[in-house]
Amino acid sequence: MKQPRHGWFLVAMLAIGCGSSGTPYNPVIDPANFVAGVTNPYYPLVPGTVYNYSVQKQGVAQDVTITVTSDTKVILGVTCIVVHDLVTEGGQVAEDTWDWYAQDKDGNVWYFGEDTKKYVNGQVDTEGSWEAGVGGAKPGMIMLGNPQVGDTYRQEYLAGSAEDQAEILGLNESITVAAGTYQNCVKTKDWTVLDPGVFENKYFCPDVGQVLADMVQGGSERQELVSITAP
């Protein structure tokens, strides 16, 4: 394990101990350590920006529209940006999610939870919803302020429901998707203990954010950026 470069990074690294060395995951959230807005170049959240993605999931085509809203939600005393994530399949809504993010003074982008609804055969499934501070849920980091190869961290935490983790694999990746070709991107490996044997690679590019999520083991799913509409 790398030596932590600052206190907030140490909080993230403690995540990996949970379930392996037995170290509990207990991030300390001090609202005074957070800033207004999210400006991390690998995960910028500018209100009014709309990201459009195409998805091939087990042979089924989906469209994903992610909108950075101007709304905020206060969680654990931290003012979070509200992001709307809408998944459609054949013109019908398959999933409707509201996510909550905030950035600390070190540039780390924290994920404070989601309110998600999946629509299957006329039924609404809210499994996977969680909010930091409620029912044992704890925030995680969706992107580090100073990512380095080998860094590992929790992205979310609610035991048995939200346990995504990630590792930084590369810092200077080139990637081509429908929206274009991007350089100097961060590549991650993503997984969850709730779905063992399934791994994704994601690419986050400067001043854009996530451009590709590609399942490389345990299934077939690819989500790539098609277009961005600036505010």
Side-chain angles (χ1 to χ4, degrees):
M1 180 180 294
K2 293 177 178 293
Q3 292 297 314
R5 292 176 293 282
H6 48 67
W8 286 104
F9 185 76
L10 175 59
V11 167
M13 294 298 285
L14 286 175
I16 300 308
C18 186
S20 55
S21 68
T23 304
Y25 177 58
N26 289 309
V28 177
I29 301 300
D30 180 357
N33 283 320
F34 284 80
V35 300
V38 174
T39 59
N40 183 307
Y42 300 110
Y43 211 86
L45 296 177
V46 179
T49 305
V50 179
Y51 298 85
N52 293 296
Y53 297 85
S54 65
V55 179
Q56 287 292 327
K57 185 176 182 179
Q58 311 298 343
V60 177
Q62 295 179 329
D63 294 303
V64 177
T65 302
I66 296 178
T67 304
V68 183
T69 77
S70 57
D71 297 333
T72 59
K73 179 180 176 68
V74 177
I75 302 174
L76 298 178
V78 177
T79 299
C80 301
I81 289 178
V82 179
V83 175
H84 186 217
D85 187 336
L86 187 68
V87 180
T88 59
E89 185 177 308
Q92 301 296 314
V93 175
E95 187 171 343
D96 193 354
T97 302
W98 300 89
D99 298 298
W100 310 306
Y101 301 96
Q103 182 174 302
D104 67 34
K105 291 180 178 179
D106 291 311
N108 302 304
V109 182
W110 289 77
Y111 186 31
F112 279 79
E114 62 180 300
D115 177 7
T116 185
K117 296 180 177 65
K118 296 179 182 178
Y119 299 91
V120 182
N121 298 323
Q123 302 296 313
V124 180
D125 181 3
T126 61
E127 184 179 0
S129 296
W130 63 282
E131 180 178 333
V134 178
K138 302 170 186 179
M141 291 182 185
I142 207 72
M143 178 51 64
L144 304 181
N146 182 25
Q148 298 295 315
V149 172
D151 289 347
T152 49
Y153 50 98
R154 279 196 184 275
Q155 298 173 316
E156 57 183 9
Y157 186 74
L158 177 58
S161 181
E163 299 193 44
D164 288 1
Q165 301 181 50
E167 177 183 359
I168 305 294
L169 297 183
L171 301 174
N172 298 293
E173 304 289 327
S174 298
I175 189 72
T176 298
V177 294
T181 297
Y182 300 92
Q183 309 290 336
N184 302 316
C185 302
V186 169
K187 179 182 180 180
T188 65
K189 174 183 176 182
D190 293 61
W191 73 95
T192 173
V193 297
L194 303 179
D195 203 357
V198 177
F199 297 95
E200 278 188 312
N201 287 151
K202 293 182 180 179
Y203 295 81
F204 301 85
C205 302
D207 303 317
V208 178
Q210 182 179 310
V211 302
L212 178 66
D214 190 20
M215 189 175 291
V216 293
Q217 182 175 318
S220 176
E221 184 173 343
R222 180 182 173 91
Q223 176 178 314
E224 68 174 89
L225 183 66
V226 173
S227 66
I228 305 174
T229 303

